[in-house]
Amino acid sequence: MSSDEITGPGMPLDGTPSAPALDLSAPADLSFSAVQAASADSLSATGSAIGSATAGSIDATASAIGIAKVGGDFSASFSSTPLVSVKGDASIRQSYASALVAGGTVEMSQAVAPMVAGREIHIDMGGGVLLVAGEARVKRGWIGVLLAGKAKLGEDTRVMVDTRAALIIGAALLGGFALMAVAAYFGARKLIDDMDPLDFAALSEWMPWHNEMG
């Protein structure tokens, strides 16, 4: 292991209710670990549970991160990250995020995120309740409300309320859809900023390896 790579063992997966907080200036590599909070220049997590994570970049595989605040890019596969705030690009594959707000491009493949906002949103087999983007490309998916300056939809894509319909309905409702989009965007960011790290004792109860190894 190189000197600039740190493996954080976190809490032993034996049911202990408390978990440490890691504050690392170097890149952190967590494997089958559990921590209340982690902060690092870059964070890689595999098979781990993290209450909250703050890093320049995050790469999660088969992991659960309650709150992720990322200064650069974020990627997740086979993972659950309920609240994600990303300044750069975000990529989620076969994963779930309740609210994902990105300053760059959001790539989704076989993934679900009820609320997604980004400069661009690209979806290949996925879905969301509310999508807000400057440009959206959905190859295959299901979208509740799509608010985008430009949208390209595949034949296998279903949109309940598109931008045009939202503008028409929103005008009738005194801009209701526009206000909803703005409220959802800033509401998600504030929720991510204000929420405390998730309680690890609750997380440990449903971790897939907990019952097997605990």
Side-chain angles (χ1 to χ4, degrees):
M1 181 172 59
S2 62
S3 59
D4 62 349
E5 183 179 14
I6 298 176
T7 299
M11 188 198 84
L13 299 177
D14 59 0
T16 307
S18 61
L22 299 181
D23 189 356
L24 307 171
S25 58
D29 185 357
L30 299 180
S31 297
F32 298 97
S33 304
V35 296
Q36 183 75 16
S39 177
D41 288 344
S42 63
L43 176 64
S44 176
T46 301
S48 297
I50 305 172
S52 67
T54 302
S57 64
I58 293 179
D59 183 5
T61 301
S63 297
I65 303 176
I67 304 170
K69 303 177 185 179
V70 190
D73 297 336
F74 171 84
S75 65
S77 57
F78 308 102
S79 298
S80 175
T81 53
L83 301 176
V84 186
S85 176
V86 186
K87 289 187 177 180
D89 298 333
S91 173
I92 59 174
R93 182 172 64 90
Q94 294 183 328
S95 299
Y96 173 84
S98 296
L100 194 163
V101 180
T105 300
V106 178
E107 299 275 356
M108 296 174 57
S109 177
Q110 297 181 1
V112 176
M115 187 276 170
V116 185
R119 180 171 51 84
E120 293 186 18
I121 298 177
H122 303 162
I123 299 178
D124 181 3
M125 193 178 295
V129 177
L130 172 63
L131 268 63
V132 182
E135 180 178 343
R137 301 176 188 175
V138 185
K139 186 176 181 180
R140 289 173 293 176
W142 184 95
I143 309 299
V145 178
L146 174 62
L147 298 176
K150 182 180 180 181
K152 183 177 181 180
L153 307 177
E155 294 182 357
D156 295 329
T157 297
R158 298 292 180 267
V159 177
M160 298 296 292
V161 180
D162 60 15
T163 304
R164 182 179 178 182
L167 290 175
I168 295 174
I169 299 173
L173 298 177
L174 300 177
F177 274 100
L179 292 176
M180 179 180 67
V182 172
Y185 179 86
F186 289 104
R189 293 197 74 98
K190 181 172 177 56
L191 183 63
I192 294 170
D193 290 338
D194 294 346
M195 278 193 68
D196 294 327
L198 297 184
D199 179 70
F200 177 77
L203 279 176
S204 64
E205 292 180 358
W206 58 265
M207 289 192 303
W209 58 83
H210 177 74
N211 293 330
E212 298 177 5
M213 301 182 64

